[in-house]
Amino acid sequence: MLRVVQWATGAVGRHAVRAVQAHPDLELVGAFVYSDAKAGRDVGEIAGLAPIGVTATNDPAEIVVLDADCVLYMAQGEMNPAGALDDICRLLAAGKNVISTAVTSLIYPASLDPAVAARLEEACAEGGTSFHATGIEPGWASEVLPLTMSALFERIDTLVVQELLDYSSYDSPGMMFDIMGFGRAPDAPVPLADPVLAGSVFRAPLLLVAEGLGATIDDFVYDRQVALADRAFDIKAGRVEAGTVSAQRFSATAVVGGRPALTVEHITRVGEGQAPDWPTGRGWKVTVEGSPSMVLEAKIAIHGEDENDQGCLGTAMHAVHAIAPVCAAAPGIRTFLDLPMIKGRHILSQR
């Protein structure tokens, strides 16, 4: 039985709490929360369960001293990546393996300043622990899917991974407005409009896939297009006024051998009818030109469920299912290239 701590109980973290609690090989032994309103409450109740006997705390020191094998770190780290790195390194050095969904670029730490990977490795060495970052996209669609498909190909000329989702039900004003720039003027100086900052999100999956395929990236090309609302309307995160961003299409492309070879593109809307000329869908699509040529589509919420909530569930489960292999791994940074295939044990319904 592996002892698990849940760090943060937002849209992804609540799903993780429920999954860990239901897993026969895992025991939830602690939970960290950010709000005073959640601190002191039973984390089962926070996650919509009956009480489970684990009280949430907003004191990181209490988590650090807990006897635990793994921490599921699910903070909104993109808003403070340096702070997330500090938290993660502290936990690793304290003897806890860490699986993070918080900072996309940590999926492949070599994509960042070498000092970041060095800090993580030092913390892992001090605590005898392993670090793994994951997600659903990036983290699964733009890494695991292409690498799994790659064994079928004689040659790949171009590979494009697209995420096509409607974020109108995603209840995170900070992420939606302050980071992504929805509901803002098209030239607002949000992080996603900055090619350096936005590019860093996609450099990680592109570099990871390139390493897995034995390729060397010459350069990166970034692009962002926006569409504007023709009327005001409300989404879960707040108000989108007329003339502000209601859809965006952003991508990063890795140039290999002088040609655009690997691309990750997100086509994201907040409501039906926005940017009607752009591709539509509910999920992820991998298009490969090569020998053979192939398109693989993964649709989510196929029965009309909330696609954002189901995406958050998928993100949580990818982390929960990684607990056992990460805890069994040798100390250090462990990416998808280092771990065995992450499988969903105990998920086949017995009904």
Side-chain angles (χ1 to χ4, degrees):
M1 184 75 73
L2 294 171
R3 295 167 59 84
V4 180
V5 170
Q6 178 61 43
W7 187 293
T9 56
V12 175
R14 290 192 296 273
H15 282 300
V17 168
R18 294 192 286 267
V20 171
Q21 182 64 14
H23 200 292
D25 299 333
L26 305 175
E27 179 186 5
L28 191 65
V29 297
F32 178 82
V33 294
Y34 286 92
S35 74
D36 291 336
K38 290 181 179 180
R41 293 177 58 195
D42 188 289
V43 71
E45 294 180 331
I46 294 172
L49 302 173
I52 61 174
V54 176
T55 301
T57 179
N58 58 0
D59 182 356
E62 293 185 22
I63 300 298
V64 170
V65 299
L66 269 180
D67 176 17
D69 298 292
C70 185
V71 176
L72 294 176
Y73 188 86
M74 296 179 173
Q76 286 201 334
E78 303 293 1
M79 300 176 122
N80 183 13
L85 181 63
D86 289 342
D87 290 338
I88 290 167
C89 288
R90 185 181 182 189
L91 293 164
L92 291 167
K96 295 163 180 60
N97 299 288
V98 176
I99 298 171
S100 169
T101 63
V103 180
T104 300
S105 53
L106 291 180
I107 286 171
Y108 191 70
S111 67
L112 298 168
D113 187 294
V116 173
R119 279 195 66 192
L120 288 167
E121 290 286 9
E122 289 168 6
C124 289
E126 182 177 347
T129 51
S130 298
F131 171 73
H132 174 67
T134 185
I136 194 167
E137 168 45 32
W140 174 74
S142 57
E143 295 93 332
V144 177
L145 283 185
L147 290 171
T148 303
M149 294 170 65
S150 68
L152 302 178
F153 291 88
E154 176 187 40
R155 186 190 76 254
I156 292 178
D157 299 322
T158 61
L159 186 153
V160 178
V161 179
Q162 292 175 303
E163 176 180 276
L164 305 107
L165 288 175
D166 183 336
Y167 275 26
S168 57
S169 64
Y170 188 48
D171 189 12
S172 178
M175 177 64 71
M176 294 291 290
F177 298 129
D178 299 334
I179 292 180
M180 299 187 73
F182 286 110
R184 296 290 193 89
D187 58 353
V190 296
L192 202 56
D194 184 328
V196 175
L197 292 175
S200 68
V201 173
F202 293 125
R203 280 171 55 90
L206 291 171
L207 283 164
L208 188 150
V209 171
E211 181 185 340
L213 298 181
T216 300
I217 295 175
D218 304 325
D219 199 3
F220 296 92
V221 178
Y222 308 109
D223 182 60
R224 179 179 185 248
Q225 304 171 45
V226 299
L228 306 183
D230 59 5
R231 58 178 177 79
F233 59 92
D234 293 315
I235 60 175
K236 192 73 174 285
R239 183 106 174 140
V240 176
E241 298 289 351
T244 65
V245 174
S246 61
Q248 46 191 311
R249 186 173 188 171
F250 50 97
S251 66
T253 296
V255 179
V256 177
R259 74 182 195 282
L262 304 172
T263 297
V264 178
E265 179 183 50
H266 283 207
I267 300 173
T268 310
R269 296 172 169 83
V270 287
E272 292 184 13
Q274 307 304 315
D277 296 333
W278 293 354
T280 58
R282 298 184 80 183
W284 302 271
K285 181 178 180 180
V286 183
T287 303
V288 179
E289 295 293 345
S291 178
S293 59
M294 189 178 296
V295 173
L296 178 68
E297 291 188 78
K299 295 184 179 180
I300 198 166
I302 61 173
H303 300 299
E305 304 95 334
D306 185 325
E307 62 202 75
N308 290 294
D309 182 62
Q310 293 222 322
C312 289
L313 171 59
T315 300
M317 295 312 305
H318 210 203
V320 170
H321 291 312
I323 292 172
V326 169
C327 288
I333 296 168
R334 295 290 170 255
T335 73
F336 293 112
L337 299 176
D338 306 307
L339 295 173
M341 179 185 291
I342 296 171
K343 301 175 288 292
R345 298 207 22 107
H346 306 299
I347 63 169
L348 194 60
S349 174
Q350 299 299 311
R351 290 181 299 172

